[in-house]
mmCIF file of all heavy atoms in Angstrom:
data_model
loop_
_atom_site.group_PDB
_atom_site.id
_atom_site.type_symbol
_atom_site.label_atom_id
_atom_site.label_comp_id
_atom_site.label_asym_id
_atom_site.label_seq_id
_atom_site.Cartn_x
_atom_site.Cartn_y
_atom_site.Cartn_z
ATOM 1 N N GLY A 14 2.350 20.634 -2.658
ATOM 2 C CA GLY A 14 3.346 21.705 -2.615
ATOM 3 C C GLY A 14 3.505 22.345 -3.979
ATOM 4 O O GLY A 14 3.521 21.659 -4.997
ATOM 5 N N PRO A 15 3.616 23.683 -3.997
ATOM 6 C CA PRO A 15 3.883 24.359 -5.272
ATOM 7 C C PRO A 15 5.271 23.960 -5.764
ATOM 8 O O PRO A 15 6.192 23.794 -4.966
ATOM 9 C CB PRO A 15 3.855 25.839 -4.888
ATOM 10 C CG PRO A 15 4.190 25.866 -3.424
ATOM 11 C CD PRO A 15 3.627 24.600 -2.858
ATOM 12 N N THR A 16 5.429 23.767 -7.064
ATOM 13 C CA THR A 16 6.756 23.437 -7.596
ATOM 14 C C THR A 16 7.047 24.355 -8.796
ATOM 15 O O THR A 16 6.534 24.138 -9.890
ATOM 16 C CB THR A 16 6.873 21.946 -7.993
ATOM 17 O OG1 THR A 16 5.823 21.589 -8.877
ATOM 18 C CG2 THR A 16 6.804 21.041 -6.769
ATOM 19 N N ALA A 17 7.858 25.379 -8.534
ATOM 20 C CA ALA A 17 8.227 26.318 -9.597
ATOM 21 C C ALA A 17 9.123 25.599 -10.593
ATOM 22 O O ALA A 17 9.965 24.809 -10.213
ATOM 23 C CB ALA A 17 8.963 27.515 -9.004
ATOM 24 N N ASN A 66 1.299 30.633 -4.902
ATOM 25 C CA ASN A 66 2.546 30.672 -4.121
ATOM 26 C C ASN A 66 3.574 31.579 -4.777
ATOM 27 O O ASN A 66 3.706 31.598 -6.005
ATOM 28 C CB ASN A 66 3.089 29.231 -4.017
ATOM 29 C CG ASN A 66 4.503 29.184 -3.489
ATOM 30 O OD1 ASN A 66 5.464 29.181 -4.251
ATOM 31 N ND2 ASN A 66 4.651 29.148 -2.174
ATOM 32 N N PHE A 68 7.650 33.670 -4.475
ATOM 33 C CA PHE A 68 8.938 34.004 -3.877
ATOM 34 C C PHE A 68 8.882 35.498 -3.547
ATOM 35 O O PHE A 68 8.620 36.309 -4.437
ATOM 36 C CB PHE A 68 10.098 33.787 -4.859
ATOM 37 C CG PHE A 68 10.333 32.354 -5.276
ATOM 38 C CD1 PHE A 68 11.204 32.078 -6.328
ATOM 39 C CD2 PHE A 68 9.727 31.289 -4.624
ATOM 40 C CE1 PHE A 68 11.449 30.772 -6.720
ATOM 41 C CE2 PHE A 68 9.973 29.974 -5.019
ATOM 42 C CZ PHE A 68 10.831 29.718 -6.077
ATOM 43 N N THR A 127 7.484 32.261 0.189
ATOM 44 C CA THR A 127 8.752 31.723 0.652
ATOM 45 C C THR A 127 9.885 32.674 0.243
ATOM 46 O O THR A 127 9.652 33.648 -0.468
ATOM 47 C CB THR A 127 8.967 30.285 0.097
ATOM 48 O OG1 THR A 127 10.126 29.709 0.699
ATOM 49 C CG2 THR A 127 9.134 30.281 -1.403
ATOM 50 N N SER A 174 13.238 18.585 2.725
ATOM 51 C CA SER A 174 12.394 19.115 1.645
ATOM 52 C C SER A 174 13.104 19.184 0.310
ATOM 53 O O SER A 174 14.275 19.565 0.231
ATOM 54 C CB SER A 174 11.924 20.527 1.993
ATOM 55 O OG SER A 174 11.120 20.525 3.144
ATOM 56 N N GLY A 175 12.351 18.893 -0.755
ATOM 57 C CA GLY A 175 12.854 19.074 -2.107
ATOM 58 C C GLY A 175 12.799 20.534 -2.505
ATOM 59 O O GLY A 175 12.006 21.302 -1.975
ATOM 60 N N GLY A 211 8.424 18.327 4.117
ATOM 61 C CA GLY A 211 9.766 17.764 3.988
ATOM 62 C C GLY A 211 9.801 16.282 4.245
ATOM 63 O O GLY A 211 9.646 15.847 5.378
ATOM 64 N N GLY A 212 9.957 15.495 3.194
ATOM 65 C CA GLY A 212 10.125 14.049 3.323
ATOM 66 C C GLY A 212 8.837 13.305 3.643
ATOM 67 O O GLY A 212 8.875 12.128 3.985
ATOM 68 N N GLN A 231 2.434 19.505 3.722
ATOM 69 C CA GLN A 231 2.641 19.947 2.342
ATOM 70 C C GLN A 231 3.626 18.975 1.702
ATOM 71 O O GLN A 231 4.719 18.763 2.222
ATOM 72 C CB GLN A 231 3.178 21.376 2.289
ATOM 73 C CG GLN A 231 3.539 21.819 0.863
ATOM 74 C CD GLN A 231 3.659 23.312 0.712
ATOM 75 O OE1 GLN A 231 2.675 24.040 0.773
ATOM 76 N NE2 GLN A 231 4.879 23.785 0.512
ATOM 77 N N GLY A 233 5.699 18.037 -1.750
ATOM 78 C CA GLY A 233 6.166 18.505 -3.053
ATOM 79 C C GLY A 233 6.560 17.353 -3.963
ATOM 80 O O GLY A 233 5.976 17.152 -5.037
ATOM 81 N N THR A 234 7.530 16.558 -3.501
ATOM 82 C CA THR A 234 8.059 15.468 -4.333
ATOM 83 C C THR A 234 6.964 14.473 -4.713
ATOM 84 O O THR A 234 6.904 14.003 -5.852
ATOM 85 C CB THR A 234 9.203 14.766 -3.571
ATOM 86 O OG1 THR A 234 10.188 15.752 -3.266
ATOM 87 C CG2 THR A 234 9.827 13.660 -4.390
ATOM 88 N N TYR A 248 13.434 14.013 -16.500
ATOM 89 C CA TYR A 248 13.504 14.351 -15.070
ATOM 90 C C TYR A 248 12.718 13.306 -14.269
ATOM 91 O O TYR A 248 13.221 12.728 -13.292
ATOM 92 C CB TYR A 248 12.926 15.761 -14.928
ATOM 93 C CG TYR A 248 12.841 16.434 -13.580
ATOM 94 C CD1 TYR A 248 13.344 15.886 -12.405
ATOM 95 C CD2 TYR A 248 12.240 17.702 -13.501
ATOM 96 C CE1 TYR A 248 13.223 16.554 -11.187
ATOM 97 C CE2 TYR A 248 12.128 18.385 -12.305
ATOM 98 C CZ TYR A 248 12.609 17.803 -11.142
ATOM 99 O OH TYR A 248 12.491 18.478 -9.952
HETATM 100 C C1 FMN B 401 10.737 20.863 -8.013
HETATM 101 C C2 FMN B 401 10.332 21.607 -6.777
HETATM 102 C C3 FMN B 401 9.986 22.946 -6.876
HETATM 103 C C4 FMN B 401 9.530 23.652 -5.755
HETATM 104 N N1 FMN B 401 9.118 24.950 -5.905
HETATM 105 C C5 FMN B 401 8.588 25.605 -4.834
HETATM 106 C C6 FMN B 401 8.042 26.918 -4.990
HETATM 107 O O1 FMN B 401 8.013 27.480 -6.073
HETATM 108 N N2 FMN B 401 7.554 27.526 -3.876
HETATM 109 C C7 FMN B 401 7.543 26.917 -2.645
HETATM 110 O O2 FMN B 401 7.079 27.523 -1.680
HETATM 111 N N3 FMN B 401 8.022 25.665 -2.486
HETATM 112 C C8 FMN B 401 8.536 25.005 -3.550
HETATM 113 N N4 FMN B 401 8.988 23.714 -3.396
HETATM 114 C C9 FMN B 401 8.806 23.054 -2.088
HETATM 115 C C10 FMN B 401 7.516 22.231 -2.053
HETATM 116 O O3 FMN B 401 6.388 23.013 -2.239
HETATM 117 C C11 FMN B 401 7.387 21.455 -0.729
HETATM 118 O O4 FMN B 401 7.311 22.314 0.365
HETATM 119 C C12 FMN B 401 8.555 20.521 -0.540
HETATM 120 O O5 FMN B 401 8.789 19.834 -1.742
HETATM 121 C C13 FMN B 401 8.287 19.560 0.595
HETATM 122 O O6 FMN B 401 9.273 18.572 0.674
HETATM 123 P P1 FMN B 401 9.169 17.160 -0.115
HETATM 124 O O7 FMN B 401 9.667 17.436 -1.493
HETATM 125 O O8 FMN B 401 10.078 16.276 0.638
HETATM 126 O O9 FMN B 401 7.728 16.749 -0.097
HETATM 127 C C14 FMN B 401 9.468 23.003 -4.497
HETATM 128 C C15 FMN B 401 9.850 21.657 -4.399
HETATM 129 C C16 FMN B 401 10.265 20.953 -5.507
HETATM 130 C C17 FMN B 401 10.637 19.500 -5.362
#
Side-chain angles (χ1 to χ4, degrees):
T16 53
N66 168 267
F68 295 169
T127 187
S174 297
Q231 174 162 290
T234 302
Y248 180 4

